[in-house]
Amino acid sequence: MSLKRVIVVNKTFPQVGLDFLKKEGVKTTVIPYMDHEPESLPEIKKNINGYDGIIWNTRHRFDAEIMDLAGPQLKAVTTMSSGVENMDVKEIQKRGIPLGNVLQVLDNAVADIALGLIIAAARRFKEGIEELNRNEWKYGVQWMLGTDIANSTVGIVGLGGVGQAIVRRLKGFDVGKFLYCGRTDKPEAKALGAERVPQEQLLRESDFVILACPLTPETKNMINADCLKTMKKNAVLINIGRGGLVDQEALYVALKEKQIFGAGLDVVQPEPLPNDHPLLSLPNCFIIPHLGSSTTETRNQMAIVSAENILNAFNGKPMKYPCF
């Protein structure tokens, strides 16, 4: 393989990924900015021409303009995420450029976060901490009552790798029933003891509704006001997919009016969420700042898989996790 050049478009890319590429004889350039810095996108556009591979580890849109700026020699593109909602997949495919992501690598880390959110929302961690900080620690058998996971019905929207990892963990919590919905039957569902049902039934019967599906035009705002009214009064909504899966205005109303018991969110729209956003004011809405894959081991592995995707494409092999 002749000397190849790769550009990484966000400076937070883990060093292990850069070392991996260097060891394979790939010359790597890193854009010295992060997403939230105003110089980021102009710097990408100014410097992206002439590379054979791109690691698109940014939330900026990868579209026809970027591909035109990159030039016709571009042979491979990969994200450093499982989602590709910021990638113009159809345009990439039309141009015959291989596109990869990092599916499966982050399944366990995200599933761990889901479990944390379930417990935090069901047991009212946010309310308890707020009362503690206000020196309002109360007593009595009716104070700060939550809802049990044991014997509950858990509904998972999207029984992919993350959804399956969540079910495996929840098995130890003595869940009564697992439901799931999605575009197709999952062969793994039988072994996991999960039953496929229509989305409306899942929402109606579940005590915990977990969103673990990708954001697409079809899933955008899939949890809207009507869906929230369908859910149980004691239901807890967990979102570890993407913020755009939920109509947040409708969720605010549902939580404030106690149409549902609570919510635990690792993802919101936009990110970061403004500190005056109404959802942050609610005691029954537990929000964390998109920590799903945020472990050292997982992020390092994501970087290595990104590098492997690019190298495989350079060598005429299928990417480790191809998008098409």
Side-chain angles (χ1 to χ4, degrees):
M1 181 178 69
S2 60
L3 180 65
K4 299 294 184 184
R5 300 174 69 225
V6 170
I7 187 167
V8 180
V9 300
N10 186 317
K11 71 177 183 180
T12 62
F13 191 72
Q15 185 64 40
V16 294
L18 299 176
D19 292 342
F20 189 92
L21 288 166
K22 183 179 180 181
K23 188 177 75 172
E24 296 297 323
V26 175
K27 181 177 174 56
T28 307
T29 300
V30 180
I31 296 292
Y33 295 102
M34 294 187 291
D35 284 352
H36 67 274
E37 297 176 291
E39 302 92 341
S40 175
L41 187 56
E43 193 74 9
I44 291 170
K45 290 181 177 180
K46 185 172 72 175
N47 290 283
I48 204 166
N49 182 260
Y51 290 90
D52 304 286
I54 298 173
I55 296 179
W56 195 257
N57 58 329
T58 176
R59 294 176 191 167
H60 296 309
R61 180 79 174 159
F62 189 87
D63 54 16
E65 180 192 6
I66 295 293
M67 285 178 264
D68 288 341
L69 290 170
Q73 81 300 317
L74 182 62
K75 296 175 180 63
V77 180
T78 186
T79 66
M80 203 189 90
S81 62
S82 59
V84 292
E85 66 274 3
N86 63 330
M87 312 297 285
D88 189 337
V89 176
K90 289 183 179 179
E91 182 66 21
I92 297 168
Q93 193 169 19
K94 186 175 81 173
R95 297 187 186 212
I97 303 170
L99 171 65
N101 61 6
V102 294
L103 280 180
Q104 300 180 22
V105 178
L106 43 71
D107 290 355
N108 286 323
V110 176
D112 289 348
I113 283 289
L115 265 291
L117 288 170
I118 289 168
I119 295 169
R123 300 303 297 273
R124 300 168 67 175
F125 277 18
K126 183 179 180 182
E127 292 175 81
I129 292 168
E130 288 179 347
E131 291 203 8
L132 183 66
N133 289 338
R134 294 195 302 264
N135 198 27
E136 295 177 359
W137 186 325
K138 301 181 182 68
Y139 298 92
V141 295
Q142 297 298 324
W143 179 61
M144 203 63 68
L145 298 184
T147 184
D148 281 323
I149 301 172
N151 302 313
S152 67
T153 295
V154 172
I156 301 181
V157 181
L159 195 68
V162 172
Q164 292 167 32
I166 292 169
V167 173
R168 290 195 298 270
R169 283 156 173 74
L170 284 173
K171 289 280 188 181
F173 285 76
D174 298 326
V175 168
K177 183 192 295 185
F178 290 104
L179 305 176
Y180 78 99
C181 64
R183 290 176 298 176
T184 59
D185 287 324
K186 292 291 183 179
E188 302 87 352
K190 185 175 181 180
L192 291 170
E195 177 189 356
R196 187 180 179 211
V197 297
Q199 180 179 312
E200 194 275 339
Q201 181 181 344
L202 182 147
L203 295 174
R204 188 177 66 249
E205 296 182 4
S206 297
D207 302 294
F208 295 90
V209 174
I210 304 171
L211 306 181
C213 58
L215 178 62
T216 66
E218 292 73 32
T219 61
K220 182 174 174 58
N221 285 342
M222 66 183 301
I223 300 299
N224 53 34
D226 289 338
C227 292
L228 291 159
K229 289 173 183 173
T230 301
M231 292 168 63
K232 292 180 175 182
K233 293 280 188 185
N234 69 306
V236 174
L237 177 70
I238 303 296
N239 189 5
I240 46 84
R242 287 290 185 267
L245 298 172
V246 178
D247 180 339
Q248 291 181 167
E249 291 184 11
L251 178 61
Y252 172 79
V253 172
L255 290 168
K256 188 172 179 61
E257 296 182 357
K258 295 187 169 49
Q259 294 174 17
I260 63 173
F261 184 83
L265 312 176
D266 183 41
V267 288
V268 289
Q269 182 65 35
E271 292 180 357
L273 201 63
N275 61 10
D276 60 351
H277 194 282
L279 282 176
L280 293 171
S281 69
L282 295 173
N284 56 345
C285 189
F286 187 86
I287 302 176
I288 56 176
H290 204 151
L291 299 178
S293 63
S294 297
T295 71
T296 301
E297 297 83 0
T298 299
R299 290 286 168 85
N300 283 346
Q301 190 59 31
M302 291 164 71
I304 290 170
V305 169
S306 298
E308 288 178 325
N309 280 341
I310 294 290
L311 288 168
N312 281 11
F314 286 171
N315 289 308
K317 300 176 183 177
M319 287 185 165
K320 189 163 186 177
Y321 294 108
C323 292
F324 45 75

